[in-house]
Amino acid sequence: MDFCISNRMKDMRGSAIREIFKYAANPEVISLAGGNPAPELFPADALADLAYRFLKEEPVLSLQYGITEGYMPLRQYIKERLARVENICREGDDTIVVSGAQQGIELLTKVLVNEGDTVIVEEPSFIGATNAFRSYGAHLVGVPVKEDGMDVEWLEKALQDNKNVKFIYTIPTFQNPTGTTMSLEKRKSVYALAKKYGVLILEDNPYGDLSFSGERFPTIKSMDTEGIVAYSGSFSKVLAPGLRIGFLTAPAALIQKIVVAKQISDVHTPMLTQLISHAYLTENDLEEDIVKTRANYAHKSQTMIQAMEAYFPKDVRFIRPLGGLFIWCDLGHGIDTLALSKKAVEEKIVFVPGNTFMVDMDTVCSTLRLNFSTASDEKITEGIRRLGVVFNKVLA
Amino acid sequence: MDFCISNRMKDMRGSAIREIFKYAANPEVISLAGGNPAPELFPADALADLAYRFLKEEPVLSLQYGITEGYMPLRQYIKERLARVENICREGDDTIVVSGAQQGIELLTKVLVNEGDTVIVEEPSFIGATNAFRSYGAHLVGVPVKEDGMDVEWLEKALQDNKNVKFIYTIPTFQNPTGTTMSLEKRKSVYALAKKYGVLILEDNPYGDLSFSGERFPTIKSMDTEGIVAYSGSFSKVLAPGLRIGFLTAPAALIQKIVVAKQISDVHTPMLTQLISHAYLTENDLEEDIVKTRANYAHKSQTMIQAMEAYFPKDVRFIRPLGGLFIWCDLGHGIDTLALSKKAVEEKIVFVPGNTFMVDMDTVCSTLRLNFSTASDEKITEGIRRLGVVFNKVLA
């Protein structure tokens, strides 16, 4: 039988990162490709005790159907922490627990985007989000990312030139894949432009807690007096990603529709993972955990940068991140990093080529993304050494 | 800001069952509305030990990102059990773990249905599925359900009269909401018609294990020599629904696209719930558990039927189920059970009115669905007594 795939999905490719992961399964291969948090930081022992406690003491709550909006005390905790840490507490907003921030992005798109509608994205941007937009037939318009965030003039032109712009998607803090942080001035400008053109902003902030210095960058959502910002967050990077606990905060009318969409999608996020996440977050000091995570990632990024300075050809430019998980490199010279990624596999090192993050994934890119959060110090250094060998061959 | 909701979602209403649940939160109210499995059957103690063990001994596996297809040993277990118990083992098929069977249905729809395409459904049918189809702009065509399954002549007419039929959705065994079981002859006819018209069948079988007598009814998927049946299943009714573990088995080409769609939706089903489900299923005898569940539900359905015979007016007709969770009643006399459901709340009893399950939910229906799996014997009897009071008033 020839399955006639829907228009929205027929050209969808799986993330190239998934393909790269196949090579990474070989233990001799060093992967700097993923975006996995450091597994040594997972509070597994505490979660073991909590899972045991809930299943023993609250078996029905842990195992019966739950409500679509999410476990109420967890929603309450999320609202309180957003108010306390991010100054996000707009009246008239609501918060839904989702199965990872990815689900919030997908559901928002399902609820808002008709085929052919425009979504403005930073370019390069997170492929999980851009693929969600593509999967509903969105017309993606890219706005280049500078070291201080997206090009605001370009953004205004995109808002002027395109009809039916449904939202602007941005990761202002420690952006994926570039690691850049949007300046305060630009955050204000992006908000002002959204207001001027009557367009929603989807602010995705999975990395905001991971500032190396501890400095917090004001979210665009914290400036949202008009109710024009949807804010997506996650516990994947500060607790554990396998639990799949994220959230979306947005004007209540939008959350109501997203609840309907989530009910159709997975009914609700599993109860056990919500319960143990909530208990861990309220019985422990998350901010103290985050201090440790920050120190770990600051150290690992420094290890990677030192190795890059030692092993990479001088022509390779890169952006020093202030936090997050990634370092963005540019080899220049018209080098095609997609082709290079295949050569790198021969040297047992994998990375994500820059084209993955572009609106047009067939663009030839000299850029690539490196991750420093997953590998050990030794593997980071050895991985960068191997990459240096690959780069030296093409730049010689 | 006036959010312009997408065409596919703008007319979507939340399930009426959700609204009814609000009343059910009052402890004085008896709910026969939900579809919750009996909580006393959840193997909570065993799952507590397993959750503790995995988080202690396999912290990284339990908490790090997993792969979209699902935990490989769980997929393997599902394939083996389907082959052993249901004779489902077609070469060229593949199986994906999904976050509840609901997600498999939603993703299949996303992958196949363009706006305006037809999906043929039993009428009445499961609202979670019909809403998933609606949410992608499907044109729903209903085929009446008889006591021995859907009307096959009507089905053929629907296949002839409608263009772009993407699939036939059916719950052949202990159907939701009618509790009916399709005859073997009709199963063969439905398969033959799907083959003749080149249309996929989506066979949803969440209740197949819950036969009161232990008899198994051959699935349509077990007859699938051509690769034209997608089969959706769940551990919600035999293990625990809050874990959100379901699966979809279908031709590999279709599963490949569904993997892409799931990656965008929730990346993967949480690892911890997959791990403890797999360990429970392989370290215990699920078939023995199911014997207990069957006995429990056979007893509860009998309790409900006895109460109905004692308290309901003689005019109320109902279908005696051979398994599953539901009894379908018809009051006749042009009675509107949606209006009646509001009066029933005053008597502190809730049920789901029949219009909920119709293609056109504004149809006035004299039917309603009762659930016997959730409430205790005492509450079932008292609930039916209260319903008898309500029914006697309108039928007097």
Side-chain angles (χ1 to χ4, degrees), chain A residues 154-166:
Chain A
W154 198 299
L155 172 62
E156 178 148 27
K157 196 160 174 344
L159 286 163
Q160 285 167 345
D161 290 355
N162 292 282
K163 283 185 185 162
N164 297 327
V165 179
K166 278 303 172 80

Side-chain angles (χ1 to χ4, degrees), chain B residues 310-321:
Chain B
Y311 295 118
F312 279 8
K314 292 294 163 254
D315 279 14
V316 179
R317 288 177 303 146
F318 61 90
I319 297 172
R320 284 169 200 266

Side-chain angles (χ1 to χ4, degrees), chain A residues 75-130:
Chain A
R75 291 171 69 202
Q76 202 50 45
Y77 168 85
I78 292 166
K79 288 179 193 180
E80 283 165 12
R81 181 166 191 263
L82 284 179
R84 174 166 46 83
V85 173
E86 302 285 9
N87 193 28
I88 293 173
C89 50
R90 186 182 162 273
E91 252 185 68
D93 279 356
D94 203 355
T95 296
I96 180 175
V97 175
V98 285
S99 302
Q102 179 72 40
Q103 190 183 46
I105 294 168
E106 202 265 358
L107 295 177
L108 185 78
T109 311
K110 183 172 184 180
V111 159
L112 289 177
V113 174
N114 288 315
E115 292 186 27
D117 283 351
T118 296
V119 173
I120 297 177
V121 300
E122 292 161 339
E123 190 170 32
S125 188
F126 169 49
I127 184 169
T130 52

Side-chain angles (χ1 to χ4, degrees), chain A residues 158-190:
Chain A
L159 286 163
Q160 285 167 345
D161 290 355
N162 292 282
K163 283 185 185 162
N164 297 327
V165 179
K166 278 303 172 80
F167 53 83
I168 302 160
Y169 174 73
T170 176
I171 308 170
T173 305
F174 320 136
Q175 201 244 7
N176 181 358
T178 63
T180 56
T181 296
M182 194 185 286
S183 66
L184 179 59
E185 192 189 351
K186 278 198 174 177
R187 288 170 196 242
K188 289 179 181 168
S189 299
V190 170

Side-chain angles (χ1 to χ4, degrees), chain A residues 220-240:
Chain A
I220 300 175
K221 182 66 185 165
S222 68
M223 306 167 188
D224 182 22
T225 50
E226 314 284 316
I228 59 169
V229 183
Y231 179 89
S232 166
S234 172
F235 293 102
S236 289
K237 306 302 184 284
V238 293
L239 188 53

Side-chain angles (χ1 to χ4, degrees), chain A residues 1 3-15 18 35-40 42-45 47-49 51-53 55-56 59-60 62-69 99-100 102-104 106-107 109-115 128 131-133 135-137 166 194 198-200 226-228 234 236-237 240-244 251 253-254 257 259-273 276 374, chain B residues 1 3-15 18 35-40 42-45 47-49 51-53 55-56 59-60 62-69 99-100 102-104 106-107 109-115 128 131-133 135-137 166 194 198-200 226-228 234 236-237 240-244 251 253-254 257 259-273 276 374:
Chain A
M1 189 174 202
F3 301 109
C4 190
I5 301 297
S6 63
N7 296 332
R8 75 179 75 80
M9 288 298 296
K10 68 170 184 270
D11 296 325
M12 285 294 303
R13 299 181 262 182
S15 162
R18 279 173 54 83
N36 289 7
E40 65 269 27
F42 298 154
D45 287 346
L47 292 171
D49 291 339
Y52 185 84
R53 190 176 92 195
L55 284 163
K56 282 281 185 186
V60 181
S62 304
L63 294 171
Q64 190 56 284
Y65 282 113
I67 64 167
T68 305
E69 290 85 343
S99 302
Q102 179 72 40
Q103 190 183 46
E106 202 265 358
L107 295 177
T109 311
K110 183 172 184 180
V111 159
L112 289 177
V113 174
N114 288 315
E115 292 186 27
N131 269 351
F133 308 149
S135 79
Y136 287 102
K166 278 303 172 80
V199 168
L200 186 78
E226 314 284 316
I228 59 169
S234 172
S236 289
K237 306 302 184 284
L243 296 170
R244 312 302 306 125
L254 213 42
K257 271 287 176 191
V259 169
V260 174
K262 180 169 167 67
Q263 195 188 16
I264 301 163
S265 178
D266 64 358
V267 188
H268 64 85
T269 296
M271 290 306 298
L272 181 62
T273 48
I276 66 176
T374 317
Chain B
M1 190 174 202
F3 301 108
C4 190
I5 302 298
S6 63
N7 297 332
R8 75 179 74 80
M9 288 297 295
K10 68 171 183 271
D11 296 325
M12 286 293 303
R13 299 181 261 182
S15 161
R18 280 174 53 83
N36 290 7
E40 65 269 26
F42 299 155
D45 286 348
L47 292 171
D49 291 339
Y52 186 82
R53 188 177 94 196
L55 284 161
K56 282 282 184 186
V60 180
S62 304
L63 295 170
Q64 189 58 282
Y65 281 114
I67 64 167
T68 305
E69 290 86 344
S99 303
Q102 179 71 41
Q103 190 183 45
E106 201 266 359
L107 295 178
T109 312
K110 183 171 184 180
V111 159
L112 288 177
V113 174
N114 288 316
E115 291 186 28
N131 268 351
F133 309 148
S135 80
Y136 288 102
K166 279 302 172 78
V199 168
L200 187 78
E226 315 285 316
I228 60 170
S234 171
S236 288
K237 307 301 185 284
L243 295 169
R244 311 303 306 123
L254 213 42
K257 272 288 176 189
V259 169
V260 173
K262 181 168 166 66
Q263 195 187 16
I264 299 163
S265 178
D266 64 357
V267 188
H268 64 85
T269 296
M271 290 306 297
L272 181 62
T273 47
I276 66 176
T374 317

